[in-house]
Amino acid sequence: TQLLEQSPQFLSIQEGENLTVYCNSSSVFSSLQWYRQEPGEGPVLLVTVVTGGEVKKLKRLTFQFGDARKDSSLHITAAQPGDTGLYLCAGPGSNTGKLIFGQGTTLQVKP
Amino acid sequence: NAGVTQTPKFQVLKTGQSMTLQCAQDMNHNSMYWYRQDPGMGLRLIYYSASEGTTDKGEVPNGYNVSRLNKREFSLRLESAAPSQTSVYFCASQDPNQPQHFGDGTRLSIL
C-alpha cells in the first residue's frame, strides 16, 4: 500500500517566519500535488511537480520534488496570516491511478 | 461560476437513518469522486465514477452506495448510518490529466 506521510502535522508560527512542510513516501510517485484547504472549503490545487529534482515557485511558496520521486517539500518564506490553512500533498497510486493523500499539515500564522 | 456544488452543507442523523448526499458539477467533466476527510487522515476515496454509467469502489466503500445519475450528478447514499461515518464528505470532478475540482463539503454527524 502506498502511503504519503506529512510532517509536521501542526505548525504554529509568527508572521514573517519561514517554514518547511515535508511529504515522504517509501514508494515512487509519477507526480505529486500540493493542495491548500481553508476552513469550510474544499482543497484547492497549488502545484503539481512531475520531474525528479524539480523546483517550482509560487510567489513566496517553493515546492520541490525529490530526485528519486519519493518525497516533496513545501517551503514558505516570510509567512503571512493569509497562509493559514491545511496543506495536503497527494499523488496518483501506481495500481489505481487514483489520488492518495497525505494526512495534512495544519498551519497557523499569527499576526 | 459554480464549479462543484454539494448539498446539504450540514446534516445530523441518528444511527440507522438513511440519507443521500448530492453533488453536481457544471464543468462537463467525465470523472467524479467521493472522499471522506477525518482528522489526521487526509482524504480517503470512497467511490469514483470514470464516466456516466460507471462506478467503482475506492479505498473505503463499506457502508456507502453511489449513483451517477447523469454526467453532471453523482450522489452518495448511506443506507443505515453509523457513528463511524461521522465525517466531512467531499465531492470532486476532473477531466483526464487535469486537476481535481472539489466542492465545499458536507459536514455529517451521526449520533
Side-chain angles (χ1 to χ4, degrees), chain A residues 37 40 42-43 45 86 98 102-103, chain B residues 37 40 42 48 90 99 102-103 107:
Chain A
Q37 184 179 9
L45 181 69
L86 177 67
K98 301 299 173 275
Q103 72 269 53
Chain B
Q37 185 174 37
Y48 64 96
F90 287 97
F102 289 84
R107 281 139 193 87

Side-chain angles (χ1 to χ4, degrees), chain A residues 36-44 86 88, chain B residues 4-14 19-22 34-39 43 46 64 76 78 81-91 102-111:
Chain A
R36 179 164 165 260
Q37 184 179 9
E38 298 194 38
E41 299 182 6
V44 176
L86 177 67
L88 295 157
Chain B
V4 179
T5 303
Q6 292 184 235
T7 54
K9 294 190 182 303
F10 302 93
Q11 185 69 49
V12 179
L13 294 176
K14 293 181 179 179
M19 114 158 257
T20 300
L21 280 61
Q22 307 287 353
W34 275 105
Y35 294 91
R36 60 179 288 174
Q37 185 174 37
D38 301 292
L43 279 84
I46 305 171
Y64 305 96
L76 178 71
L78 286 69
S84 61
Q85 295 177 304
T86 292
S87 189
V88 183
Y89 291 85
F90 287 97
C91 176
F102 289 84
D104 286 340
T106 294
R107 281 139 193 87
L108 182 61
S109 292
I110 299 161
L111 308 177

Side-chain angles (χ1 to χ4, degrees), chain A residues 20-36:
Chain A
T20 301
V21 176
Y22 299 93
C23 175
N24 295 308
S25 178
S26 59
S27 306
V28 174
F29 281 84
S30 59
S31 64
L32 281 178
Q33 300 176 355
W34 284 94
Y35 291 81
R36 179 164 165 260

Side-chain angles (χ1 to χ4, degrees), chain B residues 1-103:
Chain B
N1 195 24
V4 179
T5 303
Q6 292 184 235
T7 54
K9 294 190 182 303
F10 302 93
Q11 185 69 49
V12 179
L13 294 176
K14 293 181 179 179
T15 298
Q17 288 185 317
S18 62
M19 114 158 257
T20 300
L21 280 61
Q22 307 287 353
C23 174
Q25 53 96 5
D26 62 3
M27 294 170 284
N28 204 37
H29 289 166
N30 283 314
S31 299
M32 296 187 73
Y33 306 83
W34 275 105
Y35 294 91
R36 60 179 288 174
Q37 185 174 37
D38 301 292
M41 300 189 73
L43 279 84
R44 292 181 292 168
L45 183 64
I46 305 171
Y47 270 94
Y48 64 96
S49 171
S51 61
E52 184 179 353
T54 69
T55 61
D56 284 289
K57 295 179 180 178
E59 180 186 355
V60 288
N62 291 345
Y64 305 96
N65 285 301
V66 289
S67 295
R68 183 74 182 267
L69 304 170
N70 47 56
K71 193 170 186 179
R72 289 188 66 246
E73 299 173 286
F74 189 36
S75 62
L76 178 71
R77 182 159 177 86
L78 286 69
E79 289 291 351
S80 180
S84 61
Q85 295 177 304
T86 292
S87 189
V88 183
Y89 291 85
F90 287 97
C91 176
S93 70
Q94 180 187 27
D95 261 347
N97 300 317
Q98 296 298 314
Q100 290 190 16
H101 295 258
F102 289 84

